[in-house]
Amino acid sequence: MKHFVNFLLFLALFAGCHGEETSVLDSGAAYFPLQTGVYQVYTVHEVRYQDSAEPEVLNYELMTEVVDSFPSGDSHTFVLHRSRRFAEADPWEVLDTWSVRREGNKLVVSEGNVPIVKLLFPVRAGTQWNGNTYNSMGEDIFAYEDIGRRMEFNGMTFENTMTVEQEFNEDLIVHYDARKEVYAHGAGLVYKEVTQLNYCTEDHCLGQQEIENGTELKMEIREYGEY
């Protein structure tokens, strides 16, 4: 009887540990791998609109790489370098440094000095949150969509992706704002699309979608891994 009771205790302990591990794995953290040495390379198409000037069209490659980490409260902050090159033969030019950290169930990316809650754990369909929780830019509601969808970018197939709809404002009179990011399980960010346009609101051009300034950007994963 004693051995039988011990066996039952072992099963209960194993089940508890296994359940905890499953919970961690299912939380969605693998959609944003965080460890030193992880990198991604993207192809980027960007159009910048400026007042009274021709649009500036840029095509380049962008590399993000986790280069360091340090303790931060009960977790760690990871240092992310972003570099750019306009041709494969060119050397990488460092653009800036971002940081990534976990705040409880939130994954926070500081884009420069602006912290944005990119993901909320666990990843569940229909979950919404304020991406601007830790900055002063005003409420911006993000939401999960298409969890578990199979997608392809630059000839690479990802069996398990999910989309974060950051904004979809269809205002065609004053300001158009559409932003979304797609993450793949085990790979991180694989696609990003941003369109933010300010339209002319003078009497002669009101409602004609005449762009005064703004940005259009598309990023697609080209390569990823760990060095």
Side-chain angles (χ1 to χ4, degrees):
M1 177 62 71
K2 180 179 179 181
H3 293 296
F4 180 71
V5 171
N6 288 338
F7 177 70
L8 290 179
L9 289 173
F10 170 77
L11 286 180
L13 180 61
F14 176 79
C17 292
H18 183 70
E20 182 180 354
E21 179 183 1
T22 300
S23 175
V24 171
L25 291 175
D26 290 346
S27 72
Y31 283 113
F32 202 119
L34 269 182
Q35 64 184 69
T36 303
V38 168
Y39 75 94
Q40 294 90 13
V41 178
Y42 304 92
T43 56
V44 182
H45 175 74
E46 183 178 1
V47 182
R48 300 175 182 174
Y49 298 92
Q50 303 172 11
D51 297 336
S52 304
E54 288 296 314
E56 181 182 11
V57 180
L58 301 172
N59 292 289
Y60 56 91
E61 291 184 352
L62 178 73
M63 178 170 64
T64 62
E65 51 185 337
V66 181
V67 298
D68 198 4
S69 68
F70 55 88
S72 177
D74 296 330
S75 185
H76 280 75
T77 293
F78 293 84
V79 180
L80 188 73
H81 279 181
R82 300 197 323 142
S83 304
R84 180 176 66 177
R85 66 183 182 187
F86 288 94
E88 194 168 346
D90 293 342
W92 289 104
E93 172 191 353
V94 177
L95 281 178
D96 49 24
T97 299
W98 290 5
S99 66
V100 186
R101 70 181 190 275
R102 285 285 297 267
E103 289 281 349
N105 65 336
K106 303 176 185 68
L107 185 128
V108 182
V109 178
S110 290
E111 301 182 350
N113 295 318
V114 182
I116 298 174
V117 182
K118 292 287 189 174
L119 304 179
L120 189 72
F121 303 119
V123 174
R124 296 288 185 268
T127 298
Q128 297 185 349
W129 68 96
N130 178 16
N132 288 337
T133 298
Y134 297 112
N135 64 56
S136 59
M137 295 194 300
E139 186 178 69
D140 195 3
I141 300 301
F142 293 4
Y144 286 131
E145 295 183 352
D146 297 330
I147 296 174
R149 183 179 175 184
R150 181 178 182 269
M151 300 185 76
E152 182 176 315
F153 299 102
N154 275 326
M156 292 184 291
T157 300
F158 300 93
E159 298 294 339
N160 183 354
T161 74
M162 61 86 172
T163 298
V164 178
E165 188 76 61
Q166 297 180 336
E167 185 64 63
F168 188 63
N169 174 10
E170 296 185 273
D171 179 10
L172 298 179
I173 303 298
V174 178
H175 177 70
Y176 181 84
D177 187 1
R179 290 171 277 125
K180 70 177 180 180
E181 295 182 339
V182 179
Y183 296 84
H185 202 269
L189 180 69
V190 292
Y191 180 78
K192 178 175 181 176
E193 185 172 348
V194 175
T195 303
Q196 293 180 306
L197 305 173
N198 294 310
Y199 297 118
C200 176
T201 56
E202 301 293 334
D203 289 341
H204 69 279
C205 56
L206 182 65
Q208 298 181 26
Q209 290 83 59
E210 182 179 316
I211 300 171
E212 286 195 333
N213 54 70
T215 301
E216 294 177 334
L217 179 142
K218 287 186 179 181
M219 288 173 46
E220 285 193 28
I221 192 77
R222 161 178 180 175
E223 178 186 340
Y224 68 96
E226 182 181 350
Y227 56 81

